[in-house]
Amino acid sequence: MSHINPNFAKELERYGAKDFNLCFNCGNCTAICSLSTKDNSFPREMIRFSALGLEDDIKSSLKPWMCYYCGECSTDCPRQAHPGELMMSLRRWLTAKYDWTGLSGLLYKHLSAYIIGFLLVIVGLIVFAAKLDWNQEKIMHFGHLFEMFAIAGVFAIILLPNIFRMWLYTIVRPKVKATVKVYYKAFSELLVHMFTQKRFLECEKLQETQIKWFEHFILVIGYLSLLFTTVFLDWFGSENMFIIALGYVESAIIFVVTFLFILKRAKKTEALHKFSQPSDWFFVIWLFLMGITAFLVRLFIDIGILQNNFWLYLVHISVLVQWAIIIVPFGKWTHFLYRSFAMCFARILELNDMKK
Amino acid sequence: MKQRIGVYICHCGGNISDYVDVEQLGKLMAKENGVLISKNVMFACSDSTQKEIEQDIEENKLDSIVVASCSPKLHTHTFRNVAIRAGLNPYNYTQVNIREQCSWAHSDKPMDATIKAYGLIRAGINRVSYSEVLESLEISAQKVVAIIGAGVAGMRAAVDLARMDNQVYLIEKGNTVGGHVAQAGRLFPTNENGKEVVDRLYQRIRQQSNITLFTNATLEKVSGSIGNFWIEVKLGSEELKLNVGSVLVTTGFDFYDPKEGEFGYRLSDRVITLPDFNKMVENSKGKLIHNGKSVKSVAYIYCVGNRQSKGENRYCSRQCCTAAIHSSLHVHEKFEDMTAYHLFRDIRTYGKQELLYQQSSKNGDIYIRFEEKEPPVVELKNGNPTIKVKDYLTTKRELTLDTDLVVLVTGMVPRTDSNSVSSKLKIPIGIDRFFNEIHPKLKPVETVIKGVYIGGACQGPKNINESVQSALSGAAKINATLKSGNINLEPIIARVNADSCLWCGKCAEVCEYDAISSIANGGKLIAEVNKATCKGCGICAPTCPSNAIELAQFTDNEIESMIDGLMSKAEISPRVESQQNNQKAGVQSLAGYPKIWRTIANALEGNTLTIPQIAEKIDQEASLVTWHLMTMNRYGFVESAGLNDNEDYFMYKLKK
Amino acid sequence: MSIDKTKYDALVVGGGIAGQEAALSLADMDYKVLLVEKDLSIGGKMIHLSKVFPTLDCAACITTPKMSETARHPNINLLLNTNILEIEKDNGIFSIALTIRPKYVKEDLCTGCQLCEWVCPVIVDDGFNNNMVGRKAISIAFNLANPKVAAIDMNHCIKCKKCEIACVPKAIDYSMQPQNISIETKTVIISTGFNLFKPENKPQYGYGKYPNVIDAMQMDRLIAPTRPYNSVVRPGDGKIPDKIAYVLCTGSRDTSIENAIGCSVDCANNPICSQICCMYSIKQAQLLMGALPLADITIYYMDIRAFGKGYEEFYQQAKGMGVSFIKGKIAKITQKDHNSGDLILRYEDVTTGTLKEAKHDLVVLSVGVLPNNEIAKVFTNQKLELDDQRFIKQVDELLSPSLTSIEGVFVAGTAAGPKDIPDSILSAGSAASEAASYINNI
């Protein structure tokens, strides 16, 4: 027995859902979706849960993460109910639900919260830099330290507890009893999907999908390896030619690919780019800014003009801090983690079902 | 006795000939007494066959014709007109029904169907051989129309009939006009207000001096017949007798009245019907208030009293889905923050009405689908409704919802007094208990009683626009009938033999149409038949002790000869599959034809093959081969050679 | 009876069932009517049909008598193969310019004997049978055509003169030219009917690509008494189908069409319901149960809209006969195996909420109704307005359903929006009533 909550639709609209109530339940979206299967049919089920406001069902579902938003369901929807966009909105909503701090929800629902957060970061940085007497070396040293601690801190304090909550909602509360062996077996899914997003390749329209997948793939690899290069190989401080070149390539990949993404979002030709939310914009723009400022910082170091253009590093570090303590823990960045874990959890459920 | 009879036996494009051996019957009938011509035709009713029959009548001086095809209900007039055009009296023609009565009824026993058809056609031939020349009766008609029921359908028809120069009596039993529409509030699809629409129409009626409106008027008695009906109307204490040429019945419908406890109806004031809800919406301003309580959510339950697979109302009322959705749109527009739940079975917003459904979804209305076998349950706690329903859009999950108001979307039912109207006017009633037309496509507003027409929702559920169209359609037919002031009537009526009639009055007693009275004749009283009122039902004939009254076209001679024809022994031989009647082909040379025809013909030389086999043999797409082979078949180059062993393909061979 | 062939009370545009009904109704009221039809025969879409719901009367049995009555009525003059070039209104009178396209056969001489057709060696698509079979370049439009006269398809004729030699009454005339005439009338009734949705415009369904995906009009031809194949077989390879699918709402209730093919004029989105497809599909299913007793028939639907008199009962009857009804829109159709020609239909079974694939050997697309509004262009000094769906606009839909934006011009049948046959007939009767009232009060 489930109770209908008619107000849920309004709540979901604040996460970007558009006109999904136009759905007349023909099931076209589920049938056209090449990722939808006999045992895992979506997105109509999710639209239905959303229309009826069955929050618990949505919270315990992994299906929103199964969707890679190729947009075919939206293109073919006879009522133009934008099922793809609903799935996207549900991912935002789930992200907010997983987040124990509640900040995700706040940021998704209020653009002003984002802006205030960004401004606070800038003010904090200026105060901090002033305290260090605008000393370039010290600031860069703290910048590097920050990177390390931010990663560790955000992970430990925000992301891990959130993933734990996701596990709680989707595995524990629905009373799925899986053995350690099952967890062990499913764990490989996590890594494979985290680094390859191979499921994306199963989307229809092969060529288009391959290009999209490749862009996404090199962006993820570029991003992760740049993270590694800057944090652990100290790119900005390194003298090793190989490391320096590697950093250039990685940062270039980031800003070139994200620049293409920004263009596509602005053009709105594809279904998945029709309704960009602030969180989507911030994600691509900040990634782009990070890539390009990091590239330029290193370039300025190499041609020896950074000292006279120290503002550039300040811009870079403020983008970085904003990214690291706002977008990564509470923004769109998390989809990278949740989606991979969703694949892993889905595998657990599947293995469990097979056992039965 | 006729000696030059033409017999035409129809294939009805396979409807008959698939079961009845039409060709053999054609040959057998040629041997019957008096038959000069006996033919098989593909469609007797088609224009070319009609022309062919006319030509036969003229060239061979036929003195009567028999057409063996479908029910006389369909085509009696078609072939009477053929006779008239060829200069033959239309009553020297007999229709024999070998489709409804033979091929359709006995499709499992083709041989017996053929034997039965044989008997029926012989009966028809015998009958036509006794047929007389009859002249149609011309009577003068009043250019006056009575319209029963002043809802929008009746009012609108009154306007046009008056504009076409007919005197109109508009008879309404209530004290106001406009029926349900006057109280309906906002109407779909134009969003006009019901009262304003009725006012607008009423003004148009007022402008027509030749419309007389009677309100509080009850229909008491109807007598007479087309051209001259007598309508007795009671107006309070006064009684009126109106002489009219034709009657249009537009008595409308009632809304289904839910039973006590049906979805909680009458158990709580929070459960109301859609018409009541609409009035409430109309009267509320700013906030939707029901019995002092503010209403924020409304649950509409559809198909109440309709589509009952086991109940008495099996039909769909066609306008209720749209009406409920339209109300919901209105509510959404008029009041803030309203929640709407629609518990439906199928949403039937046909045509452009689909746009309303789309808008309602866009507004955020929640649609829940149930099936008849698991209807929603309305539970009342302190009078506040909670609905439990199995949602067929969410894997039959059981859902509960709290709502301030439950609106029962009630369907249409016939008027409670429709039986009395029907018995006064002798209009037949259908299975759905609405008035029955003769045929939904051929005669959709006509009833079996000549001169009595039906329009609007008394014939079956309709929305306003459809009701008006049907009533105006009736108006057009009435105007065509009355326009000249004269009406031609069927001469198939009772007639009295003055010599043998002794006026015992038995015939008058049984006549349901009061068509027989007594008259002095040659010093004695005899029965006299009112030609306009007599319907030709024939009930009088068997009651007459002295055999003095008979029905034209159904005389004893005719009936007895028909029985003889039916009883005669049929000598039918088992059916031989006849050759396709493409004998004209003859042209076996494929010179000049597409090349693939010659390739196919070569492949079939000495073979019988299926299409895929031909395709493989000549290395062509099977679809291309199908197209060409079927065209070759059509023009007589190839023919079917039965099914293959798997019985999934036909085999084909060259036609020699 | 002789009538002045240039002056009429009413011009009826379109000789389908609505046009015939409107013309007959007016003619019965003694008005002089000119009925103009662009095709070679009157009869419209209905004459193509097998049987009609819910009575299962054979369509020809109902239409052909009406066609002959129309053709014979002393008050009706008929122009076939004729286009309207211009309609101009002056002082309440409509001046109409028409052009009669040549048939290259003299109508008054042709007896409809078809001798020409038998000798003609040129094969063209038979439009009457929706191109499922061929016919000769000279032929009569169809068996029950009225008038039953031959015409030459000049686009394909090779002028071999075989027909000219075969024709006994010497009716063939290759040199015939279009004939322009003008007439005057007091009213115009538009009964131009509708266009069927072109299923090619829904590429997901593979029509035109897979030969065993056909549209419902083709199926109606396959089961009609005057059918092209003599039995119900697949156009792909002549197999007798035993698992037939109906895809309802093909091109109706669908606003994704433009997304799929990126065009906007003749293949625009169609948000509305076509009103007839549920019922004609149920009708065909019932007829197929009779013709192919062993076949399984499945109807994939979104909502079954059986709303007219006797329709719900007809739907329940089909269920009782064993027709399967599955709620779920077909998302796409693929042919995995070219040899078998069988098709895979992908859909969500909405009631169980699961994605499914079903194999069928014949798929019928239940195509919807689109407006046919070409006529609006010929009005020169008045504007005939269209509604949002581009049907002829009804300006007083509730009380005067036939009124259009031009006084004296009335609309009947599906020119104003989707309708089934009974509703079209009623609408035509009502247009006749309004037109007659109008003429009577000029």
Side-chain angles (χ1 to χ4, degrees):
Chain A
M1 182 85 69
S2 313
H3 201 82
I4 299 181
N5 171 14
N7 299 318
F8 182 69
K10 286 186 197 98
E11 161 88 358
L12 209 51
E13 274 166 24
R14 305 185 65 183
Y15 286 89
K18 274 259 174 332
D19 288 340
F20 70 89
N21 205 63
L22 267 176
C23 170
F24 56 19
N25 293 288
C26 65
N28 194 77
C29 46
T30 302
I32 201 77
C33 176
S34 35
L35 299 178
S36 182
T37 62
K38 199 166 168 278
D39 303 314
N40 246 333
S41 297
F42 64 87
R44 190 189 67 85
E45 184 186 66
M46 286 295 132
I47 305 176
R48 196 65 197 145
F49 288 164
S50 305
L52 298 174
L54 307 182
E55 282 187 52
D56 289 343
D57 290 276
I58 301 172
K59 220 158 72 177
S60 64
S61 175
L62 291 165
K63 288 179 182 174
W65 300 109
M66 302 287 128
C67 159
Y68 278 79
Y69 207 165
C70 68
E72 222 178 333
C73 55
S74 290
T75 309
D76 271 18
C77 173
R79 265 268 182 104
Q80 295 298 288
H82 311 301
E85 194 56 29
L86 176 85
M87 294 297 267
M88 184 74 218
S89 312
L90 285 178
R91 289 194 285 276
R92 293 187 195 114
W93 183 82
L94 283 176
T95 307
K97 285 287 140 181
Y98 298 157
D99 181 23
W100 65 271
T101 65
L103 285 170
S104 276
L106 190 75
L107 290 168
Y108 276 125
K109 288 194 266 187
H110 304 281
L111 175 60
S112 53
Y114 257 112
I115 293 169
I116 291 169
F118 288 151
L119 288 176
L120 280 178
V121 166
I122 293 172
V123 171
L125 268 176
I126 291 171
V127 171
F128 186 71
K131 275 201 171 164
L132 295 179
D133 297 330
W134 306 96
N135 179 315
Q136 182 187 343
E137 213 166 289
K138 277 187 187 165
I139 292 173
M140 283 186 74
H141 174 67
F142 275 107
H144 189 198
L145 273 185
F146 169 81
E147 283 177 24
M148 288 200 219
F149 284 107
I151 292 174
V154 163
F155 242 94
I157 301 168
I158 313 286
L159 297 177
L160 276 180
N162 288 355
I163 287 167
F164 176 77
R165 281 160 65 90
M166 178 183 181
W167 174 67
L168 209 63
Y169 294 149
T170 57
I171 305 281
V172 180
R173 287 207 190 138
K175 302 207 168 67
V176 178
K177 296 219 163 47
T179 59
V180 179
K181 204 175 150 198
V182 165
Y183 275 92
Y184 175 75
K185 270 192 186 169
F187 187 67
S188 64
E189 290 289 303
L190 175 70
L191 296 181
V192 169
H193 284 283
M194 191 175 280
F195 293 102
T196 67
Q197 299 87 38
K198 70 163 186 180
R199 189 177 151 84
F200 191 18
L201 280 174
E202 290 163 28
C203 289
E204 195 92 340
K205 294 184 183 162
L206 200 57
Q207 207 180 353
E208 256 174 66
T209 303
Q210 278 174 344
I211 294 170
K212 269 193 216 161
W213 172 83
F214 182 70
E215 287 171 345
H216 196 257
F217 175 73
I218 61 164
L219 181 63
V220 171
I221 296 299
Y223 172 77
L224 291 177
S225 53
L226 182 65
L227 201 67
F228 185 82
T229 314
T230 45
V231 177
F232 298 106
L233 301 178
D234 189 18
W235 182 37
F236 289 159
S238 178
E239 301 286 326
N240 183 322
M241 280 307 286
F242 175 75
I243 292 172
I244 294 169
L246 187 67
Y248 273 128
V249 172
E250 290 158 351
S251 52
I253 285 175
I254 293 175
F255 75 75
V256 171
V257 173
T258 48
F259 183 69
L260 291 175
F261 282 5
I262 291 170
L263 279 186
K264 281 199 233 171
R265 280 208 181 271
K267 277 195 209 148
K268 295 187 180 184
T269 38
E270 287 173 69
L272 76 158
H273 296 132
K274 276 209 175 106
F275 311 101
S276 299
Q277 287 289 302
S279 56
D280 302 321
W281 283 115
F282 289 138
F283 182 73
V284 284
I285 293 174
W286 257 246
L287 249 184
F288 169 76
L289 289 176
M290 262 191 354
I292 196 151
T293 54
F295 187 92
L296 289 175
V297 166
R298 182 67 231 192
L299 186 71
F300 280 21
I301 294 172
D302 285 342
I303 56 177
I305 57 165
L306 185 66
Q307 259 158 340
N308 297 331
N309 293 285
F310 188 57
W311 56 268
L312 177 70
Y313 182 75
L314 287 180
V315 171
H316 171 69
I317 196 75
S318 72
V319 169
L320 191 81
V321 176
Q322 287 161 341
W323 173 261
I325 67 172
I326 297 176
I327 297 179
V328 171
F330 308 116
K332 194 176 175 174
W333 185 89
T334 49
H335 82 275
F336 164 72
L337 273 188
Y338 295 142
R339 196 191 287 283
S340 317
F341 273 95
M343 297 302 161
C344 167
F345 293 163
R347 182 73 182 149
I348 293 172
L349 298 180
E350 196 185 334
L351 289 169
N352 230 30
D353 276 349
M354 266 158 55
K355 248 182 13 195
K356 279 179 203 155
Chain B
M1 295 285 279
K2 305 292 179 198
Q3 287 307 322
R4 306 180 74 84
I5 303 172
V7 180
Y8 299 87
I9 306 172
C10 181
H11 288 253
C12 198
N15 276 307
I16 297 170
S17 57
D18 283 354
Y19 310 102
V20 173
D21 189 347
V22 169
E23 288 177 21
Q24 189 179 170
L25 290 178
K27 285 180 196 131
L28 289 172
M29 292 311 156
K31 299 173 195 155
E32 288 294 310
N33 265 346
V35 174
L36 192 68
I37 291 176
S38 171
K39 283 184 175 175
N40 303 309
V41 292
M42 182 53 84
F43 280 108
C45 55
S46 73
D47 205 56
S48 53
T49 309
Q50 289 190 34
K51 272 190 186 148
E52 186 181 334
I53 300 175
E54 283 168 42
Q55 220 169 351
D56 285 349
I57 295 172
E58 282 163 8
E59 286 172 8
N60 298 294
K61 306 263 176 302
L62 297 182
D63 55 13
S64 56
I65 52 172
V66 174
V67 178
S69 57
C70 50
S71 162
K73 273 172 89 175
L74 280 172
H75 286 317
T76 300
H77 287 278
T78 313
F79 297 110
R80 276 193 192 161
N81 289 336
V82 168
I84 291 170
R85 283 194 298 272
L88 188 68
N89 185 279
Y91 299 94
N92 290 136
Y93 139 74
T94 288
Q95 173 82 26
V96 178
N97 181 358
I98 59 167
R99 191 178 73 174
E100 283 84 344
Q101 293 181 358
C102 297
S103 67
W104 282 1
H106 308 293
S107 53
D108 53 335
K109 292 178 181 164
M111 184 66 185
D112 291 352
T114 307
I115 293 172
K116 185 174 173 185
Y118 174 79
L120 287 171
I121 301 171
R122 285 202 46 169
I125 294 169
N126 286 357
R127 179 187 181 190
V128 89
S129 68
Y130 282 101
S131 64
E132 306 161 39
V133 168
L134 298 174
E135 294 305 333
S136 72
L137 306 165
E138 196 176 83
I139 57 160
S140 70
Q142 298 290 325
K143 270 188 71 111
V144 183
V145 185
I147 299 180
I148 319 286
V152 278
M155 291 168 80
R156 184 61 186 82
V159 171
D160 267 17
L161 280 167
R163 277 162 60 83
M164 295 185 284
D165 295 337
N166 297 283
Q167 170 68 41
V168 179
Y169 296 119
L170 185 52
I171 299 163
E172 168 59 43
K173 73 170 176 189
N175 54 7
T176 52
V177 294
H180 293 293
V181 175
Q183 296 163 27
R186 198 163 88 154
L187 308 172
F188 70 84
T190 58
N191 291 337
E192 287 164 283
N193 179 284
K195 204 173 161 303
E196 284 163 22
V197 167
V198 171
D199 281 347
R200 184 151 67 94
L201 199 46
Y202 184 65
Q203 291 312 319
R204 292 183 70 181
I205 287 184
R206 291 285 300 273
Q207 283 166 16
Q208 295 292 336
S209 57
N210 48 356
I211 299 179
T212 315
L213 171 67
F214 299 108
T215 52
N216 290 317
T218 47
L219 184 67
E220 290 293 304
K221 199 177 166 218
V222 180
S223 55
S225 61
I226 186 165
N228 283 290
F229 284 103
W230 288 96
I231 311 267
E232 290 172 39
V233 176
K234 201 167 164 190
L235 274 171
S237 55
E238 206 182 331
E239 290 225 8
L240 279 177
K241 201 167 180 186
L242 307 168
N243 185 205
V244 303
S246 184
V247 183
L248 177 62
V249 181
T250 51
T251 47
F253 66 98
D254 281 334
F255 281 110
Y256 173 76
D257 188 22
K259 300 187 178 68
E260 180 169 328
E262 193 172 358
F263 300 111
Y265 190 64
R266 293 219 177 95
L267 301 182
S268 158
D269 68 340
R270 311 256 107 193
V271 182
I272 61 175
T273 63
L274 183 64
D276 291 339
F277 177 67
N278 284 340
K279 280 175 215 158
M280 189 180 116
V281 171
E282 203 57 31
N283 296 330
S284 297
K285 297 223 157 52
K287 268 185 177 170
L288 187 59
I289 307 284
H290 177 57
N291 288 354
K293 283 191 213 160
S294 126
V295 174
K296 282 291 176 199
S297 55
V298 183
Y300 302 86
I301 301 179
Y302 287 59
C303 295
V304 177
N306 267 193
R307 296 183 69 189
Q308 304 166 317
S309 62
K310 291 184 183 72
E312 57 178 355
N313 304 331
R314 294 186 177 218
Y315 55 88
C316 158
S317 286
R318 96 183 265 169
Q319 53 76 46
C320 358
C321 283
T322 314
I325 288 173
H326 184 258
S327 297
S328 172
L329 291 179
H330 190 194
V331 167
H332 180 87
E333 210 176 282
K334 195 166 172 180
F335 311 106
E336 274 175 10
D337 291 330
M338 297 294 301
T339 303
Y341 305 98
H342 300 261
L343 283 69
F344 70 97
R345 287 172 62 190
D346 285 285
I347 289 290
R348 293 183 167 173
T349 45
Y350 53 90
K352 298 174 201 165
Q353 297 166 15
E354 177 75 6
L355 296 172
L356 301 176
Y357 176 27
Q358 190 179 349
Q359 184 58 46
S360 137
S361 304
K362 200 167 178 143
N363 289 349
D365 287 7
I366 296 173
Y367 284 83
I368 297 163
R369 182 170 196 252
F370 68 92
E371 282 205 354
E372 190 191 14
K373 57 182 184 229
E374 292 175 301
V377 177
V378 179
E379 288 176 357
L380 298 158
K381 283 174 201 144
N382 308 324
N384 292 325
T386 298
I387 300 180
K388 282 188 182 155
V389 58
K390 263 196 184 176
D391 182 17
Y392 274 68
L393 299 176
T394 322
T395 58
K396 304 188 196 173
R397 176 144 0 158
E398 189 148 359
L399 300 176
T400 59
L401 60 95
D402 299 323
T403 180
D404 297 334
L405 205 59
V406 177
V407 173
L408 304 183
V409 181
T410 45
M412 292 172 155
V413 291
R415 284 272 189 203
T416 44
D417 60 356
S418 70
N419 277 332
S420 119
V421 173
S422 108
S423 65
K424 281 170 194 143
L425 284 156
K426 312 211 163 52
I427 307 172
I429 282 182
I431 286 176
D432 55 9
R433 293 170 293 117
F434 286 93
F435 294 156
N436 234 8
E437 70 287 349
I438 293 182
H439 188 281
K441 296 179 183 72
L442 291 171
K443 290 183 190 290
V445 290
E446 290 90 334
T447 68
V448 289
I449 306 301
K450 279 209 157 142
V452 176
Y453 296 81
I454 48 179
C458 66
Q459 180 262 354
K462 281 178 193 63
N463 65 28
I464 298 171
N465 159 311
E466 292 153 357
S467 293
V468 165
Q469 294 200 350
S470 106
L472 287 183
S473 214
K477 301 280 177 230
I478 290 173
N479 191 50
T481 314
L482 302 182
K483 183 150 191 175
S484 69
N486 287 315
I487 297 171
N488 288 325
L489 285 183
E490 285 266 293
I492 304 176
I493 54 171
R495 55 193 182 198
V496 179
N497 181 336
D499 294 339
S500 40
C501 178
L502 304 165
W503 181 245
C504 62
K506 284 205 168 114
C507 51
E509 266 168 44
V510 295
C511 179
E512 290 188 30
Y513 305 96
D514 300 332
I516 302 177
S517 51
S518 61
I519 189 176
N521 179 298
K524 63 172 181 175
L525 279 179
I526 62 162
E528 189 201 41
V529 177
N530 176 337
K531 289 177 177 173
T533 347
C534 176
K535 294 266 176 309
C537 72
I539 199 166
C540 48
T543 61
C544 180
S546 55
N547 228 1
I549 192 161
E550 65 173 4
L551 188 64
Q553 276 230 324
F554 295 87
T555 60
D556 287 353
N557 274 345
E558 283 166 292
I559 302 288
E560 279 160 17
S561 74
M562 282 174 81
I563 296 171
D564 289 345
L566 268 173
M567 299 304 290
S568 57
K569 197 171 172 301
E571 280 168 26
I572 306 284
S573 44
R575 190 169 193 171
V576 193
E577 270 314 315
S578 66
Q579 293 278 313
Q580 291 270 314
N581 47 359
N582 287 338
Q583 324 83 338
K584 289 180 197 163
V587 200
Q588 286 297 322
S589 153
L590 284 164
Y593 281 100
K595 188 175 159 219
I596 189 170
W597 286 34
R598 295 193 289 278
T599 323
I600 292 174
N602 284 338
L604 284 173
E605 195 64 58
N607 290 319
T608 60
L609 298 174
T610 65
I611 290 173
Q613 286 168 340
I614 301 170
E616 203 187 335
K617 206 165 172 186
I618 68 170
D619 195 21
Q620 288 285 355
E621 284 291 326
S623 55
L624 186 76
V625 173
T626 311
W627 192 91
H628 281 288
L629 191 81
M630 290 306 173
T631 312
M632 291 168 78
N633 176 52
R634 177 180 193 170
Y635 289 105
F637 295 100
V638 297
E639 63 185 337
S640 161
L643 287 170
N644 66 352
D645 292 342
N646 282 337
E647 301 201 328
D648 54 356
Y649 287 94
F650 283 97
M651 316 237 279
Y652 294 89
K653 61 179 182 196
L654 286 177
K655 195 164 176 177
K656 293 293 173 201
Chain C
M1 174 171 309
S2 77
I3 22 180
D4 180 347
K5 292 209 168 168
T6 62
K7 285 197 168 54
Y8 295 90
D9 294 309
L11 164 74
V12 176
V13 189
I17 187 70
Q20 294 170 48
E21 178 72 22
L24 282 171
S25 294
L26 284 166
D28 282 345
M29 292 187 250
D30 268 346
Y31 294 110
K32 306 282 174 255
V33 181
L34 175 68
L35 177 58
V36 171
E37 166 58 50
K38 69 174 183 340
D39 287 342
L40 287 164
S41 166
I42 54 171
K45 299 255 188 326
M46 188 174 166
I47 192 66
H48 291 245
L49 304 180
S50 52
K51 297 192 179 182
V52 286
F53 59 83
T55 47
L56 290 185
D57 286 310
C58 95
C61 307
I62 292 177
T63 327
T64 44
K66 211 150 233 168
M67 283 160 70
S68 25
E69 215 182 321
T70 308
R72 292 228 173 78
H73 204 292
N75 290 334
I76 300 177
N77 194 17
L78 208 56
L79 284 179
L80 294 141
N81 219 24
T82 301
N83 290 60
I84 295 180
L85 302 175
E86 225 177 79
I87 302 182
E88 196 179 289
K89 190 180 176 190
D90 270 318
N91 288 329
I93 296 289
F94 295 91
S95 307
I96 323 263
L98 305 153
T99 180
I100 307 169
R101 284 174 279 123
K103 293 174 195 155
Y104 307 101
V105 174
K106 290 176 190 149
E107 215 174 306
D108 44 343
L109 296 181
C110 176
T111 61
C113 70
Q114 288 174 274
L115 280 178
C116 53
E117 189 171 344
W118 289 100
V119 299
C120 175
V122 181
I123 309 297
V124 300
D125 265 324
D126 179 5
F128 181 73
N129 281 308
N130 296 64
N131 303 344
M132 287 188 294
V133 71
R135 62 168 175 83
K136 302 291 182 73
I138 182 165
S139 58
I140 48 166
F142 50 93
N143 239 331
L144 303 170
N146 192 329
K148 198 171 179 181
V149 177
I152 299 179
D153 176 350
M154 263 306 162
N155 293 327
H156 294 95
C157 175
I158 52 169
K159 297 204 176 133
C160 66
K161 312 226 164 185
K162 283 190 177 153
C163 55
E164 198 175 11
I165 296 161
C167 182
V168 180
K170 303 282 169 230
I172 313 281
D173 177 3
Y174 296 111
S175 67
M176 232 179 228
Q177 292 298 317
Q179 189 191 346
N180 289 330
I181 58 169
S182 49
I183 61 126
E184 281 184 359
T185 174
K186 292 175 188 160
T187 61
V188 178
I189 292 186
I190 295 171
S191 50
T192 46
F194 63 98
N195 288 325
L196 279 168
F197 175 77
K198 289 197 190 88
E200 302 90 312
N201 290 340
K202 186 83 185 165
Q204 294 91 328
Y205 292 165
Y207 181 89
K209 189 166 145 203
Y210 309 134
N212 295 323
V213 177
I214 62 174
D215 72 19
M217 197 49 132
Q218 289 176 311
M219 180 51 98
D220 239 297
R221 291 306 312 143
L222 285 181
I223 49 184
T226 51
R227 57 203 167 184
Y229 296 169
N230 297 326
S231 64
V232 182
V233 298
R234 308 196 300 189
D237 60 358
K239 184 183 169 224
I240 300 168
D242 62 8
K243 212 164 177 300
I244 304 170
Y246 276 84
V247 181
L248 293 192
C249 297
T250 303
S252 310
R253 302 178 73 190
D254 193 342
T255 52
S256 75
I257 293 159
E258 289 171 19
N259 289 347
I261 44 173
C263 60
S264 56
V265 182
D266 66 332
C267 53
N269 288 338
N270 184 20
I272 67 170
C273 158
S274 293
Q275 204 158 320
I276 55 171
C277 330
C278 285
M279 289 307 293
Y280 73 56
S281 304
I282 295 173
K283 168 202 80 180
Q284 292 186 357
Q286 289 203 13
L287 296 175
L288 282 167
M289 298 289 273
L292 307 167
L294 297 178
D296 292 329
I297 298 161
T298 310
I299 294 182
Y300 297 94
Y301 71 96
M302 301 207 284
D303 293 281
I304 289 291
R305 296 192 161 164
F307 54 80
K309 186 164 176 166
Y311 294 6
E312 174 70 17
E313 294 88 329
F314 192 70
Y315 165 40
Q316 297 304 336
Q317 178 178 313
K319 275 190 183 170
M321 288 167 77
V323 178
S324 314
F325 287 84
I326 294 178
K327 182 168 166 75
K329 185 175 171 72
I330 300 299
K332 65 178 163 188
I333 298 172
T334 44
Q335 186 188 52
K336 294 233 164 91
D337 171 16
H338 180 78
N339 278 333
S340 76
D342 292 345
L343 301 144
I344 309 289
L345 279 62
R346 206 172 138 100
Y347 67 98
E348 183 195 342
D349 182 337
V350 171
T351 311
T352 62
T354 45
L355 175 80
K356 287 186 178 163
E357 288 193 340
K359 194 159 128 182
H360 289 275
D361 55 4
L362 182 63
V363 176
V364 185
L365 304 179
S366 299
V367 288
V369 168
L370 294 180
N372 178 17
N373 53 26
E374 288 289 296
I375 189 73
K377 292 179 193 152
V378 304
F379 287 87
T380 53
N381 59 352
Q382 306 260 309
K383 187 169 161 44
L384 186 68
E385 284 176 22
L386 305 179
D387 68 13
D388 291 343
Q389 269 58 55
R390 296 171 298 123
F391 287 96
I392 309 293
K393 187 173 178 178
Q394 297 162 282
V395 294
D396 183 5
E397 197 171 339
L398 290 180
L399 291 187
S400 292
S402 311
L403 286 191
T404 69
S405 59
I406 304 175
E407 201 188 7
V409 177
F410 302 89
V411 62
T414 51
K419 274 180 201 72
D420 54 28
I421 295 167
D423 282 353
S424 290
I425 291 172
L426 290 178
S427 144
S430 123
S433 169
E434 294 200 51
S437 302
Y438 170 81
I439 302 170
N440 209 28
N441 290 277
I442 290 177

